[in-house]
Amino acid sequence: MTSQDFKSVRFRLGRTQKGIAQLLGVSIKAIHSYEQGWRKIPGHVERQVYFLLSRIMNSPADATPCWDFMQCPKDRMNQCPAYEFHSGDMCWFVNGTQCRGKNFGSWEEKMETCRNCDVFKALLETLQENHPQ
């Protein structure tokens, strides 16, 4: 997540820097640093920001779950937490998913794959449509 992405999400959530700091459980100085690009946005903060954004956006009821979109074989689906917890629109949020048959060791590693996935890109496209830079 870039500093501009972070700032755009903050605006989309309708929060001041102080308000988003309280919501995320970080200091206002950290928020300043994220938005100025002085400090890398930690994975746990990025994850929480995308989660909050996803909750205020209207996801179509007929959205294709990730396992259908990715045409996952049944054995992979049965081992995937996104399938187990019926979170096919939020697979990017769930640790331990079986994206492309691979488990990821960290949030950062997982997001490298997710940023190139159409399921996650739909979330980012909605952000761009609603709050262009």
Side-chain angles (χ1 to χ4, degrees):
M1 171 177 266
T2 68
S3 59
Q4 188 58 43
D5 291 338
F6 183 89
K7 195 172 188 176
S8 293
V9 172
R10 178 174 64 81
F11 284 123
R12 178 77 172 94
L13 294 174
R15 299 293 174 141
T16 62
Q17 288 182 330
K18 182 178 179 182
I20 198 74
Q22 291 171 335
L23 190 61
L24 297 172
V26 298
S27 71
I28 194 164
K29 287 185 178 188
I31 299 300
H32 293 175
S33 295
Y34 302 155
E35 291 190 0
Q36 294 298 316
W38 298 330
R39 190 168 159 195
K40 184 179 183 318
I41 299 162
H44 69 280
V45 170
E46 178 183 18
R47 184 174 190 229
Q48 183 71 11
V49 165
Y50 283 134
F51 172 76
L52 294 170
L53 179 64
S54 73
R55 298 300 84 196
I56 65 164
M57 298 166 69
N58 293 327
S59 178
D62 62 348
T64 303
C66 62
W67 51 84
D68 287 344
F69 182 81
M70 300 294 287
Q71 299 178 338
C72 292
K74 192 70 169 169
D75 62 324
R76 187 183 305 158
M77 287 170 35
N78 289 333
Q79 294 183 28
C80 185
Y83 181 74
E84 178 183 358
F85 296 107
H86 309 283
S87 55
D89 64 328
M90 289 184 55
C91 50
W92 52 269
F93 183 76
V94 180
N95 285 334
T97 55
Q98 300 288 316
C99 303
R100 295 184 174 89
K102 179 182 178 193
N103 275 328
F104 300 97
S106 69
W107 168 257
E108 289 80 9
E109 184 183 345
K110 177 180 176 54
M111 287 309 295
E112 287 303 312
T113 297
C114 292
R115 284 187 187 97
N116 295 310
C117 177
D118 289 334
V119 175
F120 183 71
K121 284 180 182 179
L123 176 68
L124 298 182
E125 286 172 9
T126 304
L127 171 61
Q128 293 291 47
E129 290 169 5
N130 292 315
H131 212 38
Q133 296 178 6

